[in-house]
Every structure is written in C-alpha cells, then in structure tokens.
C-alpha cells in the first residue's frame, strides 16, 4: 500500500500544483537551460560570498548526536540483521536522536511553543508543515532559529548532491537559486532534490510510466458485495487475469467496467448495499467510509476529483480565465453538490452514525475486519486481506477510479504537469542556537550522504551482496527471495524479509528514521527500484498501481509537461508578494475561523437534509465574508502576476 499511497499523493499534488504554458525547449537540452534574463541573474548568484569554505575530509569527523525532528516508526518489529544503519554511521558519524510532533497537534502551535521554550531541535526534518510553510519559517527566522545556508557551503560540503543534480542536468547554482526564500533571496532550508522526471531517460522508463500524467481519487470496493449488485463487474481476480493477459498494460476503458461515474451513481450503489443488510463476523456492514479522516481538510484530499473541479497552483482557487472564474473551490456549485451528497448519504445511514466521532484506530479496525463495503483509497486493505486469508475467506477488493473525468484544459493547470528544480517538501532547517559553526560541515555532509545515489540504492536494494546486475537488469539473489517478495508485494516473513535486514518495504510503518528519515520525499528515491525494474508478472501484480497508471496514461495524451527553471528578480519578487498575500489569507483571515468552519461543515453534513441549504450557507457565509473575500481577491491578483511572469521560465518537456 505504501507505494500506492506515494503514487497517488504524487498524482494529487501534481493535480493541485500543476505548471503552466511555455515555449518548447526540446527534450535534449539540460533541464536548467534558461532565458538570457535568467542567465544574468544566475551569474550574480555564482559569485557566492567570496569567502568559500575549505572542503573537509569526512574521515576526520568525530561521532556526534543530533536532535532531529522527524517521524518515528510505529511497528514493534526491529531489524535482526540491520545492514543499513552501520553504513550510515560509518559514512557520516552522525547519530540522530529523533523527536516527533505528537499526533493531532497543530504544527504552528507546536512550533510556537518550542520557540518560546527554546526547545526547537537542532535539525527540523519532518515531512511537511514547517520548512514548506512561509509563516512557520518566518517565525523561525525572527527567533534566530533558522541558519542561512550559502551557495559556497553547498558546493564545499555537498558534492554527492551536486553529482545527483548533474545527473538531472541541473547545476548547484540553479538548485540554490530555485530554492531561496523569495522574500530575501537567502536559503534558510535545504530542500529535497528535483524530480527525476526532468531527465529523458527516466521519463521514458517504467519509472516515468507510473508517474507521468494526472490521475485523481478512487475508492476500494469489496468485490463479493460488488458482484451481488453488479454481477457483470470484474472481481479483483478477474481484473488480475485481464492484466496478466495484457502483460500489465491496461487502458482506462478496460478497467472502467463498473457503472459508477458520478456521485448519484455512487449514492445509488451505497443504497443498494444498505438494502442487502449484510454482516461480517456478527457486525453489520456499513455501506461506505469515503472521507479518510474527520478533519475539514480531509473532505478535499480524500475525494476531490468527485467534484469534477481542478485546482490551480494558487490553492484554494479554481481558475478558468475563459469563463472569468476565479473562485475558492468551496464556493462553487460543484463543491456544494459534493457536500450535499455527503449530507444525504449520512442521513440515510450510508456512512454509519459514528462517522464523525470515531477515532482513526476504530475506523481502521472496522476496515480490517471487513465491516465496510466501499472505503477510501488509503484504507488498510492489505491488512484486511491478511486477516481474510488467515480466516479462510475469499473476498478481495477492487480499486476503482469512479470519477475519472476527462481533463478540461480551460481550467488553469488541469492539463499540465510540471517539475520544479526543487521541492520544499521535507526540507531541512538547522537551528543555529543549538548547533555550533564547527558542526556545520558534518551536518551538511550528513544531509549530503542521505541525498546520494549510493544511499538511495542501499535503501531500495540493500547491500551489493544481496543482488546481481545493474540498472534494469538488477535482481535479488535467490537467497534473498523473501526480501524480493517484501519489496515487490509487501509480503512479510520475519525469518528473512526486508525489514529483517532493516530495509523498508511497502509498509511504511516499519522504518528506521536514521536511514529513511531524511529521505521521505519521493524525489530522493531510487529510480531503478525493484518495483520499477522487475518485469510485470502475476507474482508482482499491484492493482492499485496498474489502475492509477491506466488513468494517468489516459490523461497524459492530452497533457503538457514542463520543467520549472530558476526565475529572474522580478519574478522572484512577484512570488514573494504572492506568498505574503497567501500567507496572510491563510493565517490571518481564514485561520481565526477554523474552529467555526470545522463545526459548521460537520453540521452541514450531519444536519437534516431539509436544513442543508441553510446550514451550508452558514458555512459559506464565513468564507465569503468581506475579510476572507478581500484576501482571496488579492491572492488572485498576486498569483496571476506571478503566473504570467513565470511562463518565461518554463521549458516544455514533451
């Protein structure tokens, strides 16, 4: 499931953060080639500080502990023969002592408390919510708890990162220039790497096939219940047989065999499930659980494509210039229709009375026990199947893109996918109040090692004695068959699977943050991973990936791909202006209403159907109030200024 989640998240983020038009720069030109104006700016950046630090010999480093904000593993299993941690410690002499933000804690509030208490860790490296949030970074900067990283330091202490960038046709100067804070032109957080898809070789490989193109959201159907209602629909086994017969290449049309195309069809199906009055292990089967979590935001990222809308990069705006449409997606008729569907379905008992009051663990336990007929795409299906097999059950799940709407290019970003030279997701911030200057070379070397191709290969394949060959020909040796099954299928065997050796598989709960904690961004993965290089076969069939790939490839035929290059000073300033306005909207106009909005949206969904319009209006009245509306109008204007300037720094890749 981990691989499926990563792929879907990539699709979701691509849909929300897609690029915009530009001239065709060809596919053989290095990704970093820019306009004449941009070259002039880059030449200024190349000057550096004039006080370049001297390179250091990593062998001279002494062992050091670092307090690092990251995520901790939740699985009680520990590696028996940890192959990777000793290598990390040998290469870096750094031993991270990890701390994490407690569950269900607001990141901003947590950070404020740490700043006040002077307990901000030495390095911040959590997945998102700190370094990718301008407001949080501004707090750290004002508190003197974010250290500027210079271009000279990157060049001196991060040569492995430079090698990896060069492989993608990107220079360290370009990476730095694309990564600086647009408000002051300085680098306060070390970003993750650019997408491998900047490179022709990777775009034209199986790695690219699974990642190019925009897909969307789908759900899992219990196939035994599906067959009761639609006898002609394929079961999970039927779909697998079709995939094997077609050597793993299916079209979107081939998998769209279930007559559910919109919210009305889905409502009709859930109603028919309820009418069957089914039970599992003595517990009634609830027709559906579509919203993964109970938060307001989960309504967006759990099933957004159900609305048929397309977001621009300027979240939360939906932009269609041809229709003069610049609107918060929550104020559109399409979003109201979606929430109305949720309201109607809840009142008819299609989601269960506990929908908004049960804890995540309770929801997952029911899914694993088979007590839902339709569940969100991120549900623990693998855990359910393990339980079903142990109990001698026979049902499986179909993953289905029930809202595979055709792309509408008139909506900004709907038919574009772009690849920037950097991503702030999983950026690393160094706290100078807890780190001495003489530690900086070793800390940067530690981050550099985690960026390296060698580290990426070790995470995916283990040590060289575990496999033969290279590139697309690499294969695990027979004695590591259990590792192979673990990496390809997620099959666990405590006598010798991947985690036995400390190698993470599809189940992300079994992870060593010392090895994986700085590499959570997909851009830092290894292109020629086992799932990419092994040829399709019945044994490594993955339904989730196959369905998403069919959807993405279908859309790719009508899409444009762009590399986003470093911009000039005017564009950088426009981006800074946009970030400031957007930050103001989110933190000063919307955030003060968050509790009110949370309560109002729950009321709109759980309240009587006859009062839906009034309850929903109370919700949208807050969003359309003068303060938020004025802020969104300013955000739109600032975005369009930046959007138009940035077009000069996009290079078409297809």
């Amino acid at each position: 499931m981990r691989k499926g989640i990563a792929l879907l998240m990539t699709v979701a983020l691509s849909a929300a953060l897609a690029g915009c038009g530009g001239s065709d720069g060809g596919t053989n030109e290095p990704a970093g080639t820019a306009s004449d104006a941009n070259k002039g700016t880059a030449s200024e950046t190349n000057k550096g500080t004039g006080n370049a630090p001297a390179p250091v010999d990593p062998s001279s480093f002494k062992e050091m502990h670092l307090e690092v904000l990251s995520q901790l593993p939740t699985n009680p299993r520990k590696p028996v023969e940890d192959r990777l941690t000793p290598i990390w410690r040998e290469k870096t002499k750094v031993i991270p002592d990890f701390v994490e933000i407690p569950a269900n804690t607001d990141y901003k509030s947590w950070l404020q408390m740490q700043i006040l208490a002077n307990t901000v860790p030495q390095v911040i490296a959590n997945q998102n919510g700190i370094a990718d949030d301008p407001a949080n970074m501004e707090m750290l900067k004002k508190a003197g708890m974010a250290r500027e990283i210079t271009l000279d330091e990157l060049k001196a202490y991060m040569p492995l990162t430079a090698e990896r960038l060069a492989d993608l046709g990107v220079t360290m100067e370009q990476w730095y220039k694309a990564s600086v804070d647009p408000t002051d032109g300085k680098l306060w957080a070390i970003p993750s790497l650019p997408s491998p898809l900047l490179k022709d070789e990777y775009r034209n490989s199986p790695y690219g096939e699974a990642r190019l193109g925009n897909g969307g959201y789908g759900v899992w159907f219990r196939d035994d219940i599906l067959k009761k209602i639609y006898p002609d629909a394929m079961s999970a086994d039927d779909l697998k047989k079709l995939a094997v017969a077609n050597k793993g290449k299916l079209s979107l049309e081939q998998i769209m065999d279930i007559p559910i195309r919109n919210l009305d069809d889905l409502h009709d199906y859930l109603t028919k499930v309820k009418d069957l009055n089914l039970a599992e292990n003595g517990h009634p089967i609830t027709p559906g659980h579509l919203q993964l979590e109970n938060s307001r935001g989960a309504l967006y990222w759990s099933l957004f494509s159900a609305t048929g809308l397309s977001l621009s990069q300027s979240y939360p705006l939906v932009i269609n210039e041809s229709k003069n449409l610049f609107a918060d997606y929550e104020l559109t008729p399409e979003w109201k229709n979606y929430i109305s569907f949720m309201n109607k379905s809840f009142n008819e008992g299609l989601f269960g009375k506990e929908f908004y009051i049960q804890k995540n663990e309770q929801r997952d336990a029911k899914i694993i026990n088979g007590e839902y007929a339709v569940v969100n795409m991120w549900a623990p299906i693998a855990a359910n199947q393990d339980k079903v097999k142990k109990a001698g059950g026979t049902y499986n799940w179909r993953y289905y893109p029930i809202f595979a709407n055709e792309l509408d290019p008139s909506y900004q970003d709907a038919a574009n996918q772009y690849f920037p030279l950097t991503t702030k997701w999983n950026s690393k911030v160094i706290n100078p109040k807890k780190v001495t200057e003489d530690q900086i070379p070793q800390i940067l070397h530690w981050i550099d090692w985690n960026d390296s191709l060698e580290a990426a290969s070790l995470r995916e394949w283990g040590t060289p004695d575990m496999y033969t060959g290279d590139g697309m020909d690499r294969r695990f040796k027979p004695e590591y068959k259990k590792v192979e099954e673990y990496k390809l299928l997620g099959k666990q065997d405590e006598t010798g699977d991947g985690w036995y050796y400390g190698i993470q598989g599809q189940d992300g709960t079994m992870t060593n943050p010392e090895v994986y904690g700085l590499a959570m961004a997909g851009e830092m993965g290894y292109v020629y991973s086992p799932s990419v290089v092994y040829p399709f076969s019945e044994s490594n069939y993955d339904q989730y990936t196959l369905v998403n790939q069919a959807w993405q490839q279908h859309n790719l035929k009508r899409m444009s791909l762009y590399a986003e290059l470093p911009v000039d000073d005017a564009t950088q300033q426009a981006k800074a202006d946009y970030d400031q306005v957007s930050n103001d909207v989110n933190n000063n106009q919307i955030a003060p209403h968050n509790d009110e909005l949370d309560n109002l949206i729950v009321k709109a969904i759980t309240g009587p159907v006859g009062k839906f319009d009034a309850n929903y209006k109370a919700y949208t009245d807050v969003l359309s109030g003068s303060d938020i509306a004025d802020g969104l109008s300013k955000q739109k204007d600032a975005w369009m200024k930046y959007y138009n300037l940035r077009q000069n720094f996009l290079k078409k890749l297809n």
Side-chain angles (χ1 to χ4, degrees), residues 617-639:
K617 184 177 184 299
Y619 177 73
T620 56
D621 280 350
V622 176
L623 291 173
S624 57
S626 59
D627 56 339
I628 296 178
D630 181 61
L632 286 175
S633 178
K634 292 178 180 177
Q635 182 179 355
K636 181 263 293 185
D637 292 340
W639 168 255

Side-chain angles (χ1 to χ4, degrees), residues 229-540:
I229 296 174
Y230 295 123
D232 294 334
M234 290 184 287
S235 66
D237 285 341
D238 292 334
L239 180 61
K240 183 176 182 178
K241 291 176 183 176
L242 180 64
V244 172
N246 286 269
K247 299 181 179 180
K249 301 289 185 183
L250 294 182
S251 67
L252 183 64
E253 291 73 21
Q254 285 177 293
I255 61 177
M256 294 290 288
D257 61 305
I258 302 174
I260 297 178
R261 300 291 188 273
N262 52 50
L263 289 170
D264 289 338
D265 292 341
L266 180 57
H267 176 269
D268 180 64
Y269 179 81
L270 295 174
T271 301
K272 290 177 179 177
V273 171
K274 182 185 178 185
D275 292 343
L276 291 175
N277 196 27
L278 302 171
E280 182 73 28
N281 297 322
H283 299 280
I285 291 179
T286 302
H289 199 295
L290 306 178
Q291 183 182 338
L292 181 64
E293 294 181 350
N294 297 337
S295 66
R296 186 172 95 244
L299 282 165
Y300 153 60
W301 54 256
S302 289
L303 208 65
F304 185 77
S305 59
T307 65
L309 293 171
S310 176
L311 283 174
S312 75
Q313 290 180 56
S314 182
Y315 179 91
L317 294 179
V318 173
I319 297 177
N320 189 324
E321 294 177 83
S322 66
K323 298 180 180 179
N324 196 31
L325 173 65
F326 301 86
D328 181 334
Y329 68 89
E330 295 172 283
L331 299 178
T332 63
E334 291 88 348
W335 189 260
K336 181 180 180 180
N337 182 54
Y338 171 42
I339 303 302
S340 177
F341 157 80
M342 298 291 289
N343 170 246
K344 181 180 178 182
S345 299
F346 177 85
N347 276 276
E348 294 176 1
L350 305 185
F351 299 151
K353 294 180 180 179
E354 71 285 358
F355 185 61
Y356 269 110
I357 58 176
Q358 68 182 346
K359 296 181 179 179
N360 291 347
E361 309 88 78
Q362 295 171 310
R363 174 205 66 214
D364 286 350
K366 291 180 181 179
I367 293 172
I368 293 170
N369 196 44
E371 296 176 30
Y372 288 105
V374 184
V375 295
N376 186 272
M377 59 193 170
W378 290 317
I381 298 303
N384 165 271
Q385 280 299 283
D386 287 341
K387 183 171 184 177
V388 169
K389 290 176 183 177
K390 290 177 181 177
T394 58
Y395 75 82
N396 205 324
W397 296 80
R398 275 286 309 276
Y399 180 67
Y400 197 66
I402 52 178
F403 305 116
N405 304 303
E406 292 294 336
L407 295 177
D408 183 351
S410 68
Y411 281 88
Q412 189 183 97
D413 302 335
N416 297 324
Q417 186 175 8
Y418 88 110
F419 307 104
L421 300 186
T422 186
T423 171
K424 292 185 178 180
W425 194 74
N426 197 37
S427 292
K428 275 68 70 175
V429 181
I430 298 173
N431 179 4
K433 291 193 175 183
K434 296 293 182 67
V435 169
T436 59
E437 281 301 299
D438 63 328
Q439 292 176 313
I440 293 299
Q442 188 168 352
I443 293 174
L444 293 183
H445 171 73
W446 168 61
I447 296 173
D448 187 46
W449 160 253
N450 277 277
D451 278 356
S452 70
L453 277 171
E454 182 180 0
S457 177
L458 285 165
R459 292 186 192 102
E460 288 290 348
W461 289 91
T463 49
D465 60 299
M466 303 177 75
Y467 55 83
T468 62
D470 199 9
M472 291 297 293
D473 298 320
R474 189 179 295 190
R475 300 289 184 272
F476 284 107
K477 292 179 179 178
E479 56 264 40
Y480 294 102
K481 183 68 175 177
K482 292 177 181 178
V483 179
E484 176 183 301
E485 293 177 338
Y486 176 76
K487 292 295 291 185
L488 295 176
L489 308 173
K491 182 179 179 181
Q492 298 181 22
D493 186 328
E494 295 188 15
T495 65
D497 60 12
W499 191 235
Y500 178 94
Y501 298 102
I503 304 169
Q504 181 176 307
Q506 295 188 37
D507 187 347
T509 64
M510 293 193 292
T511 179
N512 177 358
E514 186 166 343
V515 173
Y516 294 89
L518 296 185
M520 295 171 183
E523 293 80 5
M524 297 174 70
Y526 192 64
V527 170
Y528 294 113
S529 64
S531 61
V532 169
V533 306
Y534 272 78
F536 174 83
S537 70
E538 186 173 357
S539 64
N540 64 19

Side-chain angles (χ1 to χ4, degrees), residues 591-611:
H593 297 284
N594 275 342
D595 290 342
E596 179 184 13
L597 289 168
D598 289 341
N599 292 329
L600 288 173
I601 197 64
V602 170
K603 185 177 181 180
I605 291 175
T606 61
V609 173
K611 294 184 178 180

Side-chain angles (χ1 to χ4, degrees), residues 28-219:
N28 296 318
E29 185 179 358
T33 304
S35 69
D36 289 338
N38 188 39
K39 287 176 182 175
T41 305
S43 68
E44 294 297 315
T45 303
N46 292 345
K47 292 179 181 178
T49 64
N51 297 305
V56 294
D57 181 2
S59 65
S60 67
F61 293 143
K62 305 298 182 183
E63 187 174 283
M64 66 182 293
H65 282 256
L66 276 178
E67 186 179 46
V68 180
L69 179 69
S70 188
Q71 275 71 35
L72 297 175
T74 58
N75 197 294
R77 277 186 63 193
K78 306 295 182 185
V80 177
E81 296 182 30
D82 192 337
R83 296 282 183 94
L84 304 185
T85 301
I87 297 175
W88 259 247
R89 294 189 177 182
E90 176 189 359
K91 294 283 187 178
T92 69
K93 302 295 192 301
V94 172
I95 301 176
D97 298 321
F98 285 99
V99 296
E100 67 178 346
I101 299 175
N104 302 316
T105 300
D106 176 69
Y107 280 17
K108 184 176 182 180
S109 299
W110 179 89
L111 185 60
Q112 287 172 329
M113 290 187 292
Q114 307 310 308
I115 290 174
L116 289 173
N118 194 27
T119 53
V120 173
Q122 290 170 290
V123 176
I124 294 177
N126 66 319
Q127 286 190 30
N128 54 6
I130 302 293
D132 60 348
D133 185 292
N136 290 337
M137 283 303 299
E138 190 62 27
M139 284 195 295
L140 285 171
K141 287 160 60 178
K142 287 183 177 179
M145 295 182 181
R147 184 191 185 278
E148 181 191 357
I149 308 298
T150 68
L151 175 59
D152 290 330
E153 288 172 330
L154 295 179
K155 288 181 174 181
Y157 305 134
M158 300 187 69
L160 300 176
T161 301
E163 290 179 8
R164 202 155 183 198
L165 291 170
D167 179 59
L168 301 176
V170 178
T171 67
M172 182 66 84
E173 288 85 352
Q174 291 166 335
W175 188 58
Y176 171 87
K177 178 64 177 175
S179 308
V180 297
D181 188 326
T183 64
D184 56 25
K186 296 180 179 180
L187 182 66
W188 298 99
I190 299 175
S192 295
L193 297 165
S195 169
L197 295 172
L198 285 172
K199 187 174 181 178
D200 290 349
E201 176 187 333
Y202 301 152
R203 287 199 305 277
N204 296 323
S205 72
Y207 177 89
E209 288 179 4
R211 290 162 177 81
L212 292 174
N214 288 338
Y217 296 80
V219 295

